Amino acid sequence: MQKNMSTLEKSIMAIITMSKDKVGGGAPIFVVDTEEEVQRTARLFESVLGGMLHKVNETTYVVVRH
Amino acid sequence: MEDYVLPVSLGILFGFIGRVALLRTDYRQYPTQPHGSIIHLAMGIIAAALGSIAIPALLEGEFTAVTFLTLAAQQFREVRNMERETLSKIDEVELVSRGRVYIEGIAMVFEGRNYLVILIAFVTTLASQFVNWWVGVIVGIAGILFALYYKTGKKIAHIADIEPAEVLVEGENVTVNDIYIMNVGLKESLELISKQAIGIILKPKTVDSVVTLSNPGQRQAILHDLSVGLGIFRDSDKPSLVPLSRRDLEDGRVAIFFLPQIKSMEQAVKVVAEVPVLENAVRIPSESEASQA
């Protein structure tokens, strides 16, 4: 992404998960119920934050800005 | 003083023609038209004048005048800085950036070509001063041909075989043939990728080209030229559609992953073939002493 967009580089900007008990830490965590909800939330985050969604495992996704 | 009018004019003329011949704007539109080109043509006249005036200055015993050439060198280094600065600024807002190595390469070429112009003007004036005007003309033409030969660097087609490849989407993983590209979480992006993406694999021809192709700057240059040649299917809010290149660590093959606006594999292969090999990316490990052992 463009360098002038933020000061954060290569950082996890948000965590979207369906299993709340498996995640924790500094990044904002969004707990959702369904796969569709993951996709909907992530699409918004990709556009707004300029980060990219990566699938960590079946229930957890992270938004990372590269 | 009149003795020098013809040789100096010839020198300036051929130097300028040389600059015009070396200044070619192709599909990449750099230098930009018309003002970017005007800057460099004006610089070309100055360079040509400097080169040709050096001869009369020496003949008149004005040795201090030659020190002006050092001033010229300073001036042309400034050209390089100017180009670097402009391109770096522009690069920040490009959808696919040129990358620093490409920019350095372009800036270096602008400086180098001014010296070539000085050289053409110098030898033309030298020949017409000491032999006669038509020898000067011949030397001038030879100088321009030499410069034209010297300007053409290597292309990717010289160092690698360019092969069309398939972009495969398996679950969240995207690969080009067998080379892993990235993990994409967004379904929407995965659909766009399987619809629009093209993959190319570059097989390096020699040990040396393995190293050159591994250079991230070189790979960024390929991606940038692709985005210019075919357009890019992306906007700044779609980070998952970013073009990427990845290497196979085992054999040094490089996979290019790209979403073009014009989806034509044939055209893409042609564009990649024409990408210049960046001077700053070239390494020749085969000539090192370590490899002779």
Side-chain angles (χ1 to χ4, degrees):
Chain A
M1 275 315 290
Q2 293 146 7
K3 284 174 207 83
N4 54 355
M5 278 187 66
S6 89
T7 48
L8 291 173
E9 298 262 333
K10 281 264 184 201
S11 61
I12 295 184
M13 316 198 72
I15 300 166
I16 305 171
T17 185
M18 289 180 271
S19 46
K20 192 183 171 187
D21 48 333
K22 284 193 178 170
V23 293
I29 300 165
F30 291 81
V31 183
V32 293
D33 296 323
T34 61
E35 177 74 30
E36 280 88 71
E37 234 178 307
V38 171
Q39 295 293 327
R40 205 170 50 234
T41 323
R43 193 161 59 231
L44 178 72
F45 284 175
E46 281 211 356
S47 296
V48 175
L49 300 172
M52 181 176 165
L53 185 72
H54 294 286
K55 188 173 181 178
V56 180
N57 56 44
E58 287 310 314
T59 54
T60 304
Y61 294 76
V62 288
V63 179
V64 181
R65 181 179 289 162
H66 294 279
Chain B
M1 199 63 215
E2 282 93 60
D3 305 346
Y4 304 123
V5 172
L6 185 68
V8 167
S9 320
L10 275 179
I12 293 177
L13 181 71
F14 275 97
F16 183 65
I17 293 173
R19 189 65 189 103
V20 173
L22 290 172
L23 193 68
R24 272 234 320 265
T25 301
D26 59 8
Y27 68 94
R28 282 168 290 211
Q29 284 297 304
Y30 206 84
T32 50
Q33 302 278 18
H35 296 98
S37 301
I38 290 173
I39 292 170
H40 290 292
L41 291 177
M43 278 297 183
I45 294 179
I46 296 172
L50 280 167
S52 50
I53 286 169
I55 301 282
L58 282 173
L59 289 177
E60 293 287 325
E62 300 277 353
F63 296 116
T64 43
V66 179
T67 56
F68 269 91
L69 285 177
T70 57
L71 203 68
Q74 185 68 44
Q75 181 68 22
F76 296 129
R77 216 165 26 242
E78 208 51 52
V79 170
R80 180 174 176 172
N81 287 337
M82 171 192 86
E83 284 300 336
R84 178 193 295 129
E85 220 166 282
T86 314
L87 285 169
S88 310
K89 289 263 159 58
I90 294 170
D91 216 34
E92 286 172 17
V93 289
E94 292 270 11
L95 278 179
V96 182
S97 66
R98 282 189 173 85
R100 279 185 210 156
V101 183
Y102 201 2
I103 289 176
E104 282 305 318
I106 296 171
M108 197 157 65
V109 164
F110 278 113
E111 186 185 354
R113 287 189 183 170
N114 277 308
Y115 297 133
L116 278 177
V117 169
I118 293 183
L119 186 74
I120 296 171
F122 185 82
V123 292
T124 308
T125 309
L126 191 74
S128 34
Q129 180 67 41
F130 287 104
V131 193
N132 58 37
W133 69 269
W134 59 266
V135 175
V137 170
I138 293 171
V139 170
I141 292 171
I144 292 172
L145 291 178
F146 166 76
L148 281 177
Y149 169 77
Y150 201 71
K151 106 182 175 168
T152 346
K154 274 192 175 174
K155 305 259 165 69
I156 290 292
H158 294 129
I159 65 163
D161 293 317
I162 302 152
E163 290 173 5
E166 237 173 308
V167 177
L168 306 166
V169 178
E170 285 160 19
E172 69 276 11
N173 298 316
V174 178
T175 59
V176 169
N177 279 7
D178 56 327
I179 300 176
Y180 184 76
I181 302 290
M182 61 176 165
N183 172 316
V184 180
L186 204 62
K187 290 235 167 69
E188 200 179 271
S189 301
L190 284 169
E191 278 162 26
L192 285 174
I193 286 169
S194 38
K195 190 180 103 205
Q196 194 71 19
I198 57 171
I200 291 173
I201 285 190
L202 306 176
K203 277 189 185 157
K205 287 182 179 169
T206 62
V207 195
D208 299 335
S209 40
V210 170
V211 185
T212 305
L213 274 179
S214 73
N215 185 301
Q218 179 66 60
R219 280 148 55 186
Q220 190 61 39
I222 296 174
L223 296 175
H224 176 81
D225 275 8
L226 268 174
S227 79
V228 177
L230 300 175
I232 177 147
F233 192 84
R234 187 190 160 220
D235 197 2
S236 49
D237 66 345
K238 293 266 184 294
S240 43
L241 302 181
V242 73
L244 280 173
S245 65
R246 291 273 184 261
R247 328 172 49 200
D248 184 312
L249 300 179
E250 300 282 337
D251 53 15
R253 284 176 307 148
V254 169
I256 306 283
F257 164 82
F258 190 78
L259 284 90
Q261 198 80 55
I262 309 164
K263 197 184 173 188
S264 157
M265 184 54 97
E266 200 187 339
Q267 217 172 318
V269 170
K270 273 188 199 154
V271 170
V272 175
E274 286 297 306
V275 176
V277 173
L278 305 179
E279 262 178 74
N280 290 319
V282 175
R283 303 282 183 280
I284 313 181
S286 65
E287 281 183 15
S288 88
E289 275 171 36
S291 74
Q292 316 291 332

